[in-house]
Amino acid sequence: VDWQDNIWTSTGAGVSCYAKDGTLIGKIVVPETVANVTFGGPKRNRLYIAGHTSLYAIYLATHAAGWQAV
C-alpha cells in the first residue's frame, strides 16, 4: 500500500495498482509470473518485484505508506 492508500499487488501478468475503491489505476508488465512485490529503498519509492526466476526493481513516483522523510 502506498501513501495514498493505493494497493500494489502481483498478478499473472505482472503488477497491478488499484485505488482503495477498487478502480484499476495501472499495470506494470513483467515478462514472467510475479510472486510478490514490496516497497524498498531509502525513500521507500522503489518497488521490488519477485518473479519466478528473477528479481526486478523500478522507481515509482510514489512511496510506501507510513514512510516519512527524516
Side-chain angles (χ1 to χ4, degrees):
V1 177
D2 68 21
W3 71 279
Q4 295 176 307
D5 293 330
N6 298 318
I7 298 167
W8 294 77
T9 185
S10 57
T11 68
V15 177
S16 291
C17 180
Y18 295 93
K20 63 182 172 181
D21 68 1
T23 303
L24 178 65
I25 296 172
K27 295 182 180 181
I28 300 171
V29 179
V30 179
E32 62 181 304
T33 302
V34 175
N36 206 353
V37 296
T38 190
F39 286 95
K43 296 182 180 180
R44 301 298 185 260
N45 65 337
R46 193 166 192 185
L47 188 68
Y48 289 97
I49 304 167
H52 182 69
T53 61
S54 305
L55 178 64
Y56 303 89
I58 184 170
Y59 284 103
L60 302 173
T62 189
H63 57 78
W67 182 84
Q68 295 181 12
V70 188

